[in-house]
Amino acid sequence: MPSELQRPQSGNVHDYWTPERMESARPRGMSRPVVPDAQSSTSSEEADLPLGPPILVPGWSPEGDELPPVPGESYEINLKVAPLDFSLQTHGSAPTNPKDGPYGPFQRWTMQGRYETWPRSVHGKLFFSLGGSDSECSATVIGRNVIATAGHCVSDGSGTWATNFLFCPGYSQSGPMPGTGCWGVRDGTTSTAFLQSDDEDYDYACLITNTTGDQFNGPIGDRTGWTGVAYNRATFQPIVQFGYPGDAPFDGKTIQQVVSVEWYELDRTPGGQKSKYIGSDLTGGSSGGGWFLSWRHPSTEYPDTDGSTVTDPAGAQNGPYLNGVNSHTRCASNCGSPPTTTSGEFWQEMGSPQFLNSTTDNQDASDIFGYCFANQ
């Protein structure tokens, strides 16, 4: 079963996280594992199909008329999903040996405009203390009192939990969002595989936030809304990725948005589930940020001119859907600088654990998030 988070320490975490501490918090780095040999990689054409049917857990927009039931009550809703379209991958085959490239293509830009508009409002910065240092990651609101992030943003991978958790949705260059503020954390969990063994293939976690924030007198989801969650989607999806990267060349004060396509799987630790990969150049601090299916504009989405549904693989019903979190990076060389406008498009990739709902694995994402849904 998932490992329960240690209860937050005594004291007021809002007093602990002064503006100065937030400013000086260091981005929690993502591991850059040694790339295994060619025999360990699996091309996307050979990617495993999930054992179970696709499952979509609905999200909720605060622009709705009334609050839906607590997400835990509708947790195992099985919505009808269109058959998987294996023509989604249009940019070529994955490399036989990932360390030799080419890397997954991607496009990135800084999210402009107001961060409090749903669904942008679900993104936020997670502050915490670990290993004697104050750190920061990214996270996503997935329930009325629940946020999702990476396992290495709640634990060091060798049995030690982080403390002093504070989550600030819509964090920007001016700090926490006025009128929204931040929420402390009262419980949470990650997989035992990550907590005890630093297994990147299970590097996800969820946290249960306090029922009131420092500026908003109510659950975080009442203010921000929450995203849906998708399980058992094969590794062939167009992905929109988000995070607050703080290591160079980024400053950790803006949300970066990346569009790419999942194109192969890799079993980082033999046995159990695998990790999946997209092209991305986000750095430390973006750890825990979400990968989404069916991300859509806060207001009107204009019709596809060619009638294609490729960019909406999970359908528009109650989307967007969280389907991964930023876990670890992979690159071969020149990893300290981003691509330029003329070269280096394929120099780096980002990995996420698969999001599965399986009857044979009690450490999958549905079990981890299910704990937080059930105990919020």
Side-chain angles (χ1 to χ4, degrees):
M1 293 300 293
S3 301
E4 186 177 337
L5 189 71
Q6 290 176 332
R7 291 295 190 269
Q9 70 295 330
S10 61
N12 189 335
V13 70
H14 297 284
D15 291 339
Y16 180 84
W17 285 106
T18 62
E20 292 75 23
R21 279 187 184 273
M22 289 183 177
E23 183 69 24
S24 62
R26 292 297 308 144
R28 177 72 166 152
M30 289 173 286
S31 63
R32 287 181 172 174
V34 175
V35 179
D37 59 27
Q39 286 72 32
S40 299
S41 65
T42 303
S43 73
S44 53
E45 289 83 2
E46 300 169 345
D48 295 337
L49 292 176
L51 296 177
I55 294 175
L56 299 177
V57 181
W60 177 75
S61 165
E63 299 171 359
D65 294 331
E66 60 183 24
L67 282 169
V70 174
E73 297 177 4
S74 58
Y75 174 58
E76 299 245 356
I77 287 182
N78 204 346
L79 301 181
K80 183 175 179 60
V81 179
L84 183 67
D85 182 0
F86 280 96
S87 67
L88 294 178
Q89 183 189 10
T90 60
H91 54 270
S93 299
T96 301
N97 187 348
K99 72 178 181 180
D100 296 329
Y103 294 111
F106 64 92
Q107 295 184 27
R108 171 179 54 78
W109 57 93
T110 300
M111 181 181 285
Q112 304 291 337
R114 301 173 69 87
Y115 287 178
E116 67 263 35
T117 305
W118 192 87
R120 294 175 172 179
S121 53
V122 301
H123 306 303
K125 184 172 286 195
L126 178 66
F127 296 94
F128 56 96
S129 300
L130 184 62
S133 300
D134 291 331
S135 300
E136 60 185 21
C137 273
S138 302
T140 304
V141 184
I142 62 170
R144 197 174 185 188
N145 297 286
V146 179
I147 62 174
T149 189
H152 70 270
C153 298
V154 306
S155 167
D156 66 356
S158 60
T160 299
W161 292 101
T163 58
N164 293 324
F165 290 107
L166 187 72
F167 179 68
C168 304
Y171 191 93
S172 68
Q173 292 177 328
S174 59
M177 186 189 304
T180 296
C182 306
W183 276 257
V185 167
R186 52 193 164 95
D187 198 2
T189 192
T190 186
S191 64
T192 301
F194 183 83
L195 176 68
Q196 301 294 344
S197 304
D198 196 23
D199 188 340
E200 292 162 340
D201 296 330
Y202 290 85
D203 183 16
Y204 36 57
C206 62
L207 298 172
I208 303 174
T209 53
N210 292 336
T211 54
T212 60
D214 62 346
Q215 296 187 41
F216 185 82
N217 187 26
I220 190 170
D222 290 8
R223 175 66 180 89
T224 64
W226 56 85
T227 181
V229 185
Y231 303 110
N232 297 344
R233 301 294 295 187
T235 304
F236 254 95
Q237 309 299 325
I239 292 294
V240 184
Q241 172 201 34
F242 296 90
Y244 285 88
D247 286 333
F250 307 100
D251 63 5
K253 296 179 180 179
T254 58
I255 298 174
Q256 296 296 310
Q257 181 174 347
V258 174
V259 173
S260 188
V261 177
E262 299 169 345
W263 67 328
Y264 68 92
E265 298 171 349
L266 196 66
D267 195 356
R268 293 292 312 151
T269 303
Q273 63 184 30
K274 299 178 180 179
S275 290
K276 55 187 182 178
Y277 294 88
I278 61 173
S280 174
D281 64 349
L282 299 191
T283 61
S286 69
S287 294
W291 293 21
F292 289 89
L293 309 179
S294 299
W295 185 263
R296 52 195 176 93
H297 191 274
S299 56
T300 302
E301 180 176 356
Y302 293 96
D304 296 308
T305 57
D306 60 358
S308 171
T309 60
V310 167
T311 54
D312 298 307
Q317 194 172 27
N318 289 313
Y321 298 96
L322 184 74
N323 192 232
V325 292
N326 298 328
S327 170
H328 55 280
T329 61
R330 294 162 57 80
C331 59
S333 62
N334 299 322
C335 300
S337 59
T340 68
T341 56
T342 58
S343 64
E345 291 181 274
F346 310 116
W347 68 269
Q348 190 169 7
E349 295 173 343
M350 180 81 73
S352 166
Q354 294 172 305
F355 271 28
L356 302 179
N357 182 312
S358 167
T359 59
T360 62
D361 188 345
N362 67 359
Q363 297 287 298
D364 61 29
S366 66
D367 290 307
I368 302 307
F369 297 155
Y371 173 90
C372 288
F373 287 146
N375 290 281
Q376 66 177 321

